[in-house]
Amino acid sequence: MKTIISTENAPSAIGTYSQAVKVNNTVYLSGQIPLEPQSMAVVDGGFEAQTHQVFKNLSAVCTAAGGDLNDMVKVNIFMTDLSNFATVNEIMSQYFAQPYPARAAIGVSQLPKGVDIEIDGVMELPNLN
């Protein structure tokens, strides 16, 4: 049985997808880009500000699903410039505690709305039975 996860604390979907889908204790999070949830505008401030907003958006979806960022087991990071790799590592360490999730960092030519970063992932909720 799958449950659709949706929250007003993260940007609404801008296409034919859900913010996340929960199947049993596993939550599949759609890619988040650096949109401010209320205005749906890309945040100002460059790559660092965009990265912080993406983690805030992911956190909101995780919370809506009954978990938090530290329940994520896999993270995929898409960047238009891989020279920002060290910046992503530094910012990610502010949002995750060890042990960190498995991760991929992928360079892409472009992302929706011309942003510099998008992150998706998989979260495994604790078994509360």
Side-chain angles (χ1 to χ4, degrees):
M1 180 174 173
K2 68 181 179 179
T3 304
I4 302 304
I5 306 300
S6 181
T7 178
E8 293 180 357
N9 296 322
S12 57
I14 57 174
T16 54
Y17 62 91
S18 300
Q19 290 173 330
V21 177
K22 179 180 170 188
V23 179
N24 299 319
N25 287 351
T26 303
V27 181
Y28 301 90
L29 292 99
S30 292
Q32 286 291 327
I33 61 174
L35 298 178
E36 196 281 323
Q38 284 68 40
S39 69
M40 292 295 289
V42 176
V43 297
D44 291 328
F47 185 80
E48 288 186 26
Q50 286 190 20
T51 303
H52 280 288
Q53 187 63 50
V54 168
F55 282 119
K56 290 174 188 174
N57 293 344
L58 284 170
S59 180
V61 177
C62 288
T63 298
D68 64 44
L69 286 175
N70 286 301
D71 293 318
M72 292 187 76
V73 295
K74 177 68 166 102
V75 175
N76 297 307
I77 302 173
F78 304 92
M79 295 177 276
T80 58
D81 184 351
L82 285 176
S83 71
N84 288 315
F85 188 80
T87 302
V88 168
N89 282 335
E90 192 277 320
I91 293 172
M92 186 172 168
S93 72
Q94 297 172 33
Y95 291 91
F96 288 85
Q98 291 188 25
Y100 300 124
R103 185 182 85 178
I106 304 150
V108 297
S109 64
Q110 56 185 325
L111 290 165
K113 297 200 175 269
V115 301
D116 299 321
I117 186 167
E118 179 173 356
I119 303 175
D120 71 7
V122 177
M123 178 172 66
E124 188 68 22
L125 296 171
N127 191 350
L128 302 175
N129 293 336

